[in-house]
Amino acid sequence: MSEAGSAQLVEDGSRLSIRGDWTLEHVARLATLCANLQGKIAADSRIDARAIGHIDTAGASFLLDLAGADPARIDVDRASTRKLIAAVSRAENAPPAKRRRKDRGFIAILANVGQTLDDIWNDAIALVGFIGLILAAFARSALDPRRWRVTSTVAHIEQTGLNALPIVALLCFLVGAVVAFLGATVLKDFGASIYTVELVGYSFLREFGVLLTAIMVAGRSGSAFTAQIGSMKAREEVDAIRTLGLQPVDVLVMPRVLALLVSMPILTLVGMLAGIIGGAAVCVITLDVSPLMFITRLHETTGVRHFWVGMSKAPVFAFLIAAIGCLEGFKVAGSAESVGTHTTSSVVQSIFVVILIDALAAIFFMEINL
């Protein structure tokens, strides 16, 4: 056990001799010792600490109290002890840090806007790079069919496609009914209620069918991809895959991308049919249009090009949703909170990108008169 520190006045009180260990272990004894010595030490007396044992910051602080906060009055032999006392002296004499006032004004708004724009730019760059990795993985797999993971791909097709059919069909049916009801209500004032058929057909074949499906897939499958890969990242399973000599993009990303590329067009077709059926139900009930008349008018006035315009966007949306979902999963830092944060980010980014691409596609097809 170490010897507790001691102090003794010598030479008629002109010098204070220090011995023993001045450490945190003996802080109670040292505090009592220093309290008893206060007032007995002359202002110009020296503190002889050359025979001191072990010392830490607590002991150095007590010595400075005895020396009147003047490290020059303390005599020591070891350079390490001298540096420790000097460091404690600087820390005790340092002025208190000024608390920076949080700016909540215009500058703070600009800073937040700038930070947000920088985050968006970094996310865009990361997404472009990740898409490049996926395309490179596809190229490698095309040259080596043994890389295809059929079982995993089929399982994800069931998860993203078959299990999502009921909710996509119901959503599109209800939206189709709402669009038809609003169209019939507005067009009735102009005596053109029959054009509700064209409104429902155009809207769901070109836009609503694929857009509603993409939003549902982003919220359902994209978030699931992020949560699954994020959980694996948190449990260090992704690192284990790399340790086995496998590429996480080949094992985790490609089956999900392929599954969504297969499921999305099928879901889009179901969404188009469900939306048109919902609109037809409203037309039959409110406009006294027979189902045969609805189908005949839809066939005569709605060209097949509208169907292909909507279907052409489905694979693009599927690829982007899968890429964003998987990328956000790989960004998980290792905690449950991070999984939740990146899952939310995945849904928001996917829906934003889908709507942005859909708007650009609408302008493009309008310009080429398609």
Side-chain angles (χ1 to χ4, degrees):
M1 187 172 179
S2 60
E3 180 185 356
S6 62
Q8 182 179 4
L9 287 170
V10 295
E11 299 180 1
D12 299 330
S14 62
R15 187 167 65 90
L16 183 65
S17 178
I18 301 297
R19 295 182 180 276
D21 294 338
W22 286 59
T23 59
L24 187 62
E25 181 183 358
H26 309 292
V27 65
R29 175 182 171 83
L30 294 175
T32 304
L33 179 63
C34 292
N36 294 333
L37 290 173
Q38 291 294 340
K40 300 179 181 179
I41 306 174
D44 57 348
S45 62
R46 305 292 299 179
I47 297 179
D48 185 2
R50 287 174 292 184
I52 196 171
H54 297 292
I55 185 173
D56 57 13
T57 54
S61 179
F62 284 124
L63 288 182
L64 286 170
D65 288 342
L66 295 174
D70 184 6
R73 293 173 53 191
I74 304 174
D75 298 327
V76 293
D77 287 338
R78 295 195 299 267
S80 58
T81 304
R82 187 180 300 109
K83 290 180 180 179
L84 176 63
I85 294 174
V88 173
S89 176
R90 287 194 300 268
E92 291 182 348
N93 296 326
K98 293 183 179 179
R99 188 173 183 180
R100 187 176 179 181
R101 185 178 179 183
K102 191 172 182 179
D103 189 359
R104 302 181 181 274
F106 182 69
I107 301 299
I109 296 175
L110 286 180
N112 289 334
V113 171
Q115 182 64 49
T116 302
L117 292 176
D118 184 64
D119 292 341
I120 293 173
W121 174 255
N122 292 333
D123 289 340
I125 295 299
L127 178 60
V128 172
F130 191 68
I131 288 174
L133 289 177
I134 296 175
L135 295 178
F138 271 112
R140 290 195 304 267
S141 300
L143 299 176
D144 187 4
R146 292 175 299 177
R147 291 177 175 268
W148 297 101
R149 301 181 177 275
V150 179
T151 303
S152 178
T153 302
V154 172
H156 286 299
I157 289 175
E158 179 184 5
Q159 173 193 353
T160 61
L162 184 61
N163 295 343
L165 279 175
I167 185 64
V168 171
L170 178 61
L171 175 68
C172 291
F173 178 86
L174 295 176
V175 174
V178 171
V179 170
F181 180 77
L182 293 176
T185 302
V186 174
L187 294 174
K188 184 177 181 181
D189 296 336
F190 302 94
S193 299
I194 193 61
Y195 288 105
T196 305
V197 177
E198 285 87 333
L199 174 64
V200 173
Y202 288 171
S203 61
F204 271 88
L205 290 178
R206 293 183 69 99
E207 299 295 337
F208 284 165
V210 64
L211 188 59
L212 292 174
T213 302
I215 292 174
M216 285 299 301
V217 169
R220 186 181 180 277
S221 301
S223 61
F225 291 169
T226 303
Q228 291 164 359
I229 296 178
S231 298
M232 296 179 67
K233 183 78 179 298
R235 295 193 298 264
E236 299 182 353
E237 294 179 22
V238 176
D239 296 332
I241 290 174
R242 292 193 179 96
T243 303
L244 294 173
L246 302 174
Q247 293 293 332
V249 175
D250 295 341
V251 178
L252 302 177
V253 178
M254 280 192 54
R256 289 172 168 81
V257 174
L258 287 172
L260 215 54
L261 286 173
V262 173
S263 300
M264 186 74 178
I266 299 175
L267 292 174
T268 299
L269 177 61
V270 172
M272 290 177 178
L273 294 176
I276 292 174
I277 292 173
V282 172
C283 290
V284 170
I285 295 172
T286 62
L287 302 179
D288 295 329
V289 176
S290 66
L292 180 61
M293 183 184 299
F294 183 93
I295 295 173
T296 302
R297 186 169 182 85
L298 183 66
H299 176 70
E300 291 176 351
T301 59
T302 307
V304 71
R305 70 180 188 277
H306 302 298
F307 169 77
W308 290 116
V309 167
M311 290 298 295
S312 65
K313 293 183 283 188
V316 179
F317 291 167
F319 183 84
L320 291 175
I321 291 170
I324 292 173
C326 294
L327 175 59
E328 289 299 312
F330 283 115
K331 289 182 180 179
V332 171
S335 63
E337 181 182 3
S338 181
V339 173
T341 300
H342 287 286
T343 300
T344 303
S345 177
S346 169
V347 175
V348 173
Q349 289 186 42
S350 298
I351 294 176
F352 173 78
V353 170
V354 162
I355 294 176
L356 176 63
I357 298 299
D358 185 71
L360 296 176
I363 296 173
F364 171 76
F365 287 126
M366 182 181 66
E367 290 295 328
I368 64 175
N369 295 321
L370 187 60

